[in-house]
Amino acid sequence: MSERAYTYHVDGALVPADEATVSVRDRGFMYGDGAFETLRAYGGDVFEWDAHAARLRRTCETLSIDHGVPDREFRERIDATLAANDLADAYVKLSVTRGVQPGTLAPDPAVDPTVVVYVAALPRGGVAGEAAWDAPAVVRTAATRRAPAAALPPEAKTHSYLAGVLARLDGRRAAAAAGTDPPDEVLVRDVDGFLAEGSTSNVFWVRDGVLHTPGAGHPLLPGVTRSVVLDLARDAGVPVETGSYGVDDVRRADEAFLTNTTWELRPIASVDGDAVGGGPVTDRLAGRFDALVERRHY
Amino acid sequence: MSERAYTYHVDGALVPADEATVSVRDRGFMYGDGAFETLRAYGGDVFEWDAHAARLRRTCETLSIDHGVPDREFRERIDATLAANDLADAYVKLSVTRGVQPGTLAPDPAVDPTVVVYVAALPRGGVAGEAAWDAPAVVRTAATRRAPAAALPPEAKTHSYLAGVLARLDGRRAAAAAGTDPPDEVLVRDVDGFLAEGSTSNVFWVRDGVLHTPGAGHPLLPGVTRSVVLDLARDAGVPVETGSYGVDDVRRADEAFLTNTTWELRPIASVDGDAVGGGPVTDRLAGRFDALVERRHY
């Protein structure tokens, strides 16, 4: 992310990023008690807005954050922030927290939410675009496991994101032990040892022409890009299998890639030092993704 | 907590609580990537400072937040905040986050921490004091489970506290279904159904003269007050048993109480509507706790 001086949108006002603050009593700060979405704008327009808005609604429902802000108001704030920064191709993050409330941990049903829009420049996407990443992802397996659904609803995207931080720290530690740079991403398993997802991505791989990804029965955040890629695979006649897998399935795959809103499709260079790489199916799906973005946004 | 205009301490400076802010890019806000301690000052002096400072150190180690701030510096900031508010008997919260860093989720080893001290008046403790709570705690069982240690280190006290918020929401929902007010606390079980702790407290009960509390083999945050109470029980010749229990063990107990820094020992009035109450052992231990505070602080 560049070091340009951006303007953010905080609680209804545009403010320089360096002066964009929240109260230390904001529950998003004190308890990770908030929802967020990572979005991407192509040609000035947010990609898959409806899917992101729907997930934000679901996260706020899971957290009982009855914020009363209509989706179109969020969208208008994002659009205003993009315009204020003169950005057409951008990374966008939208946060909605339970705000400041009296008392301590027990949430009050009356919510005056804190709403923050962050932006940063990203390369143009689509057929004529370049990737937001430099190279295929070097990946390591995290020791930290994904919490079961009974403990933390996996489909909720919240400010309590420490498990992802701990998983990244695992990756840094494993890389240091192997004498290499920190990985670009880590693979996270559930407590039963099944592969769930990356710390900020979903994981796909190809074996004998079949596209695989962990099923939503495992504790994972089913990403918007994951869903788009599954649709593109079906359209392209690529057989898809979802289910229960281990990290070794990725390690031994013919090709593998990660998906998230920022990376789109990013090939996996290696898992714990074992080379994997992209391939024809990855390229084909990435090409279809680019075409979709081109068609919709440019 | 009163509505008095307090002064907090943020990043080395005393500031009015209403103007105390952190950057929206603070990792404590974005990812719950920070440590905290809840403390209590009696007669101007923090209770069990060494135990809290040690736990803060352990939490920061678990999170690899290499903040470089000596314990005595934290203590000085707390003391300065108490003095600025002319507070001798107070609630104190100390937060240390990974601060603002470049990039997104992956933490950078170079940390410029955000340090916040919050304070609020609390009644005088000790023999001549009054409780920080109004009445014995009405308690309900939460549906949300405590994450296993493999997913989230239970002994780390972090800003990713959403599980506690969700558990409190469960309690509110259960109370609404029963037509009663929200409970004062919820009991949280691990994914195997064993009782772990309250959302902000540890739980104790007495059966046939024996004091019980879940063992640290279960995912729970072993509180400073829990440890003090276990010591007081041993000194008083009260037999103690720690192990694996269910919510029914509390429900059927002769007496039960919760512990945390703010509440000290708080009897449990009822569990899911079934009356329990304090009793002679609870009273005896609470009396010894008051005497300890009186001896040390007044």
Side-chain angles (χ1 to χ4, degrees):
Chain A
M1 232 137 291
S2 93
E3 291 304 307
R4 220 186 107 168
Y6 293 109
T7 298
Y8 292 168
H9 201 292
V10 182
D11 274 339
L14 290 160
V15 285
D18 284 352
E19 297 164 26
T21 60
V22 292
S23 169
V24 296
R25 298 209 298 128
D26 192 281
R27 294 178 59 99
F29 178 70
M30 289 199 299
Y31 306 125
D33 188 8
F36 77 96
E37 284 294 317
T38 304
L39 308 119
R40 190 163 172 175
Y42 297 110
D45 198 24
V46 172
F47 181 66
E48 288 281 325
W49 168 249
D50 289 347
H52 285 286
R55 186 170 60 191
L56 183 66
R57 269 199 309 274
R58 289 195 301 273
T59 300
C60 288
E61 273 165 28
T62 300
L63 273 53
S64 290
I65 297 182
D66 189 11
H67 54 68
V69 182
D71 287 350
R72 68 168 184 288
E73 173 67 27
F74 290 133
R75 182 64 182 271
E76 282 165 17
R77 292 188 191 191
I78 291 168
D79 290 347
T81 315
L82 290 170
N85 289 277
D86 199 20
L87 283 173
D89 300 303
Y91 161 95
V92 179
K93 178 171 164 168
L94 170 64
S95 278
V96 181
T97 82
R98 207 183 306 268
V100 175
Q101 295 196 329
T104 53
L105 187 67
D108 195 293
V111 175
D112 178 13
T114 297
V115 179
V116 182
V117 181
Y118 308 73
V119 292
L122 260 193
R124 181 201 194 287
V127 173
E130 49 171 316
W133 36 268
D134 298 326
V138 172
V139 166
R140 289 196 175 270
T141 306
T144 301
R145 304 302 177 96
R146 193 72 158 96
L152 215 54
E155 70 287 357
K157 203 169 168 82
T158 80
H159 281 232
S160 279
Y161 214 86
L162 188 65
V165 175
L166 293 173
R168 286 291 184 103
L169 287 166
D170 291 340
R172 188 168 93 190
R173 233 170 267 128
T180 64
D181 286 337
D184 300 300
E185 177 58 300
V186 286
L187 297 182
V188 182
R189 296 162 291 173
D190 63 22
V191 292
D192 300 317
F194 294 111
L195 178 60
E197 59 184 350
S199 67
T200 62
S201 60
N202 291 118
V203 56
F204 288 84
W205 62 97
V206 180
R207 178 83 185 199
D208 299 331
V210 179
L211 184 67
H212 295 74
T213 195
H218 296 281
L220 57 87
L221 194 133
V224 170
T225 310
R226 175 181 183 274
S227 169
V228 170
V229 165
L230 287 172
D231 287 347
L232 291 173
R234 282 181 202 111
D235 292 350
V238 175
V240 173
E241 192 187 291
T242 61
S244 302
Y245 308 103
V247 170
D248 279 348
D249 290 300
V250 187
R251 202 195 309 271
R252 294 180 199 135
D254 302 323
E255 356 177 352
F257 61 91
L258 302 168
T259 61
N260 69 26
T261 292
T262 306
W263 289 340
E264 302 168 332
L265 287 78
R266 182 176 185 178
I268 293 177
S270 63
V271 175
D272 299 327
D274 296 338
V276 182
V281 177
T282 306
D283 290 347
R284 196 160 147 226
L285 293 171
R288 287 192 168 236
F289 191 93
D290 288 341
L292 176 73
V293 169
E294 190 75 25
R295 198 160 66 240
R296 285 199 198 159
H297 292 273
Y298 296 102
Chain B
M1 230 137 291
S2 95
E3 291 304 305
R4 222 186 105 168
Y6 292 109
T7 297
Y8 291 169
H9 201 291
V10 182
D11 275 339
L14 290 160
V15 285
D18 283 351
E19 298 165 26
T21 60
V22 292
S23 169
V24 296
R25 297 207 299 129
D26 193 282
R27 293 178 58 100
F29 179 69
M30 289 200 298
Y31 306 125
D33 188 9
F36 77 96
E37 284 294 317
T38 304
L39 309 118
R40 190 164 174 175
Y42 296 110
D45 198 25
V46 171
F47 181 66
E48 288 281 326
W49 167 250
D50 289 346
H52 285 286
R55 186 170 61 190
L56 183 67
R57 271 199 309 273
R58 289 195 302 271
T59 300
C60 288
E61 274 165 27
T62 300
L63 273 53
S64 292
I65 297 181
D66 189 12
H67 55 69
V69 181
D71 287 350
R72 69 166 183 289
E73 172 67 27
F74 289 132
R75 181 63 182 269
E76 282 165 15
R77 293 189 190 191
I78 292 168
D79 289 347
T81 315
L82 289 171
N85 289 277
D86 198 20
L87 282 173
D89 300 303
Y91 161 96
V92 179
K93 178 170 163 167
L94 170 65
S95 278
V96 182
T97 83
R98 207 183 307 266
V100 174
Q101 295 196 330
T104 52
L105 188 67
D108 195 292
V111 175
D112 178 13
T114 297
V115 179
V116 182
V117 181
Y118 309 72
V119 292
L122 261 194
R124 181 201 194 286
V127 174
E130 48 173 317
W133 36 269
D134 298 326
V138 172
V139 165
R140 289 195 175 271
T141 306
T144 301
R145 304 303 177 95
R146 194 70 159 97
L152 213 54
E155 71 288 356
K157 202 169 168 82
T158 80
H159 281 232
S160 279
Y161 214 86
L162 188 65
V165 175
L166 293 172
R168 286 292 184 104
L169 287 167
D170 292 341
R172 189 168 90 190
R173 233 171 267 127
T180 64
D181 287 337
D184 299 301
E185 176 58 300
V186 286
L187 298 182
V188 182
R189 295 161 291 173
D190 63 22
V191 292
D192 300 316
F194 293 111
L195 179 60
E197 59 186 349
S199 67
T200 62
S201 59
N202 292 117
V203 56
F204 288 83
W205 62 97
V206 180
R207 179 84 184 199
D208 299 331
V210 179
L211 183 68
H212 295 75
T213 195
H218 296 281
L220 57 88
L221 194 132
V224 170
T225 310
R226 175 181 183 274
S227 168
V228 170
V229 166
L230 287 172
D231 286 347
L232 291 174
R234 282 179 203 113
D235 292 350
V238 175
V240 174
E241 191 187 291
T242 62
S244 302
Y245 308 103
V247 171
D248 279 348
D249 289 300
V250 187
R251 201 194 309 273
R252 296 181 198 133
D254 302 322
E255 356 176 352
F257 61 91
L258 302 168
T259 61
N260 70 24
T261 292
T262 306
W263 290 340
E264 303 169 330
L265 287 79
R266 183 176 184 177
I268 293 178
S270 63
V271 175
D272 300 325
D274 295 338
V276 182
V281 177
T282 306
D283 290 347
R284 198 162 145 220
L285 293 170
R288 286 195 169 234
F289 191 93
D290 289 342
L292 176 72
V293 169
E294 190 74 27
R295 199 160 64 239
R296 285 200 199 158
H297 293 273
Y298 296 101

